[in-house]
Amino acid sequence: MPSLKDLRNRIASVKATQKITKAMQMVAASKLRRAQAAAEAARPYAERMERVIANVAGGLGAGAPAPALLRGTGGDGTHLLVVCTAERGLCGAFNSSIARLARDKATALMAEGKTVKFLCVGKKGYDLLKRQFGSQILELIELRGVRQLGFEHADSIGRKIAELFDKSEFSVCTLFFSRFRSVITQIPTAQQIVPVHVAKGGGSSAVYDFEPETDELLLALLPRNISVQVFRALLENAASEQGARMSAMDNATRNAGEMIRKQTLKYNRTRQAMITKELIEIISGAEAL
Amino acid sequence: MAFHFELVAPERLVFAGDVEAVVVPGTEGEFTVLKDHAPLMSMLRPGVLEIDQSAAQKTKLFVRGGFAEVSGIGLTVLAEQAIALEDLNATELDADLKDAEEDIADAPTDEARRIATEKRDHLRELRAALQI
């Protein structure tokens, strides 16, 4: 049976925790609005980019030689998994669900005898994956100091991926991130970015004039496409993270409230029991005289 | 005769609407797109893009790094950066340029120097665009 003092202390500490979770929830809510607007504003660019690539690929014809980034190297022996997660925890299952998706994919690929390499964007994903795949992680890219995510951040990651591809470090690249559906639903997603997944029949059959030549143009277009897809993934991730944190902190605040209610009830009961006990002692003492 | 034109930057949709003509700075020279232009894909060089919404209303923007695509549905320009010329200010740019030069001079690592040099080159392009 805890003493009254213990109960009082416990109630005070839960109240303090509740204040923190409440504050975090409100911060997440205001960040979410900005992140969501940014993610939605970036969608047109990524969509147009996909359409342009589909058009160019469609106009290229089946037999024509295409750059390896578009068509693939032919083999699929080495996979690069780019795992985008948050820099901070306390956002429910957000980080772990992305990491789980990546881990499942990696184990499945390794069971088929393929080589798997990782590129971690965000510290949390790295922490979750390093125990199992420590030696396979090529690099950890931290975006901790970044306040406003700009295209240049995604561009530097995209360039790194393109560079690795040029050095034949991998033949298939998959991007892992969480797609933002709504505040309560974020969908962990795997998206293949190398070779480019071209929607069938999406390209128009129009014959394009190319300035400069097709090869040169595609060589410039494809690495940029990687950056754009990474950028979109990072923005979607940022919105998802805030959404996940908001609902996690909302739950935590509610749980803390429930706990405070229970503990207060217990505290009052104990207090009353003690008063009654003291009274009984006094009365029976008086009777004994 | 109007056609549909879209200018998209990674962060947002900069312009979307019907226009009369657009002058695009392509790598192999500037070209003007009018209605019913033949399908074309071109890379952009850093320069000024001019939108003619009507004879009276013209907008000039600085664009860097990207592509222009003319297809049946109109013209789409994907630019890495798009800034309206009227938002630029020569004295501010000169100050930024000077800062960038200093950054290059005292960059501690090669990586930092590369980034600073890139930034200076971008600023120079902007400055050049403003003089036209």
Side-chain angles (χ1 to χ4, degrees), chain A residues 3-202:
Chain A
S3 73
L4 279 181
K5 192 166 188 303
D6 287 341
L7 279 172
R8 251 198 321 266
N9 284 343
R10 197 174 301 162
I11 292 170
S13 89
V14 176
K15 270 187 181 157
T17 311
Q18 191 190 27
K19 273 185 194 144
I20 295 171
T21 57
K22 181 90 193 157
M24 282 183 77
Q25 187 213 334
M26 291 197 289
V27 170
S30 78
K31 279 189 182 164
L32 171 71
R33 220 164 303 139
R34 227 177 309 144
Q36 199 179 342
E40 271 159 19
R43 272 179 198 159
Y45 192 84
E47 278 162 16
R48 301 297 185 290
M49 195 75 172
E50 270 170 15
R51 206 182 62 203
V52 167
I53 290 195
N55 279 350
V56 177
L60 212 57
L69 272 174
L70 179 67
R71 197 199 39 202
T73 52
D76 65 340
T78 315
H79 287 248
L80 178 74
L81 308 185
V82 182
V83 187
C84 305
T85 52
E87 292 291 347
R88 286 159 210 274
L90 290 178
C91 43
F94 173 75
N95 289 316
S96 52
S97 58
I98 298 174
R100 191 183 322 120
L101 190 69
R103 194 183 296 133
D104 290 349
K105 172 93 177 168
T107 353
L109 285 170
M110 275 149 74
E112 288 171 29
K114 308 219 158 95
T115 321
V116 177
K117 289 173 184 172
F118 286 93
L119 187 69
C120 291
V121 182
K123 190 162 157 291
K124 283 290 158 186
Y126 174 74
D127 288 345
L128 286 164
L129 292 170
K130 74 177 168 198
R131 189 179 306 161
Q132 203 179 344
F133 305 106
S135 56
Q136 285 150 279
I137 298 177
L138 296 177
E139 201 175 337
L140 160 68
I141 299 163
E142 284 199 52
L143 297 170
R144 181 164 281 268
V146 177
R147 292 196 123 254
Q148 183 71 45
L149 193 73
F151 185 66
E152 62 269 20
H153 303 112
D155 199 32
S156 73
I157 298 170
R159 275 186 205 174
K160 213 161 272 173
I161 297 173
E163 219 169 86
L164 287 170
F165 185 79
D166 286 342
K167 283 192 256 167
S168 313
E169 290 270 345
F170 67 90
S171 44
V172 180
C173 175
T174 315
L175 194 60
F176 289 87
F177 64 101
S178 194
R179 202 176 285 276
F180 182 79
R181 174 66 63 79
S182 73
V183 179
I184 39 171
T185 7
Q186 298 90 27
I187 308 151
T189 314
Q191 184 195 3
Q192 185 179 316
I193 52 172
V194 177
V196 181
H197 199 77
V198 179
K200 288 262 167 3

Side-chain angles (χ1 to χ4, degrees), chain A residues 41-42 44-45 48-49 51-52 55-56 150-151 155 159 206-212 217 220-221 224 231, chain B residues 6 8-12 27-28 39-43 65-67 69-71 73 76 78-80 114 118:
Chain A
Y45 192 84
R48 301 297 185 290
M49 195 75 172
R51 206 182 62 203
V52 167
N55 279 350
V56 177
F151 185 66
D155 199 32
R159 275 186 205 174
V207 181
Y208 280 84
D209 282 338
F210 291 102
E211 244 180 65
L217 192 105
L221 187 64
R224 190 154 302 162
F231 186 54
Chain B
E6 277 175 357
V8 208
E11 283 88 4
R12 67 206 166 89
T27 36
E28 320 223 312
L40 168 82
M41 277 284 301
S42 172
M43 281 168 74
F67 302 86
E69 187 212 18
V70 187
S71 64
I73 49 171
T76 311
L78 300 170
E80 232 169 73
R114 189 185 64 76
E118 218 168 71

Side-chain angles (χ1 to χ4, degrees), chain A residues 246-279:
Chain A
M246 204 176 114
S247 47
M249 286 301 118
D250 188 42
N251 276 340
T253 312
R254 213 168 315 124
N255 282 345
E258 178 73 6
M259 201 175 211
I260 291 171
R261 202 183 57 80
K262 277 190 186 150
Q263 295 287 345
T264 317
L265 191 67
K266 200 168 169 191
Y267 171 78
N268 286 337
R269 286 224 175 108
T270 320
R271 194 172 54 92
Q272 276 177 336
M274 271 176 73
I275 295 169
T276 320
K277 205 174 91 192
E278 271 172 30
L279 275 177

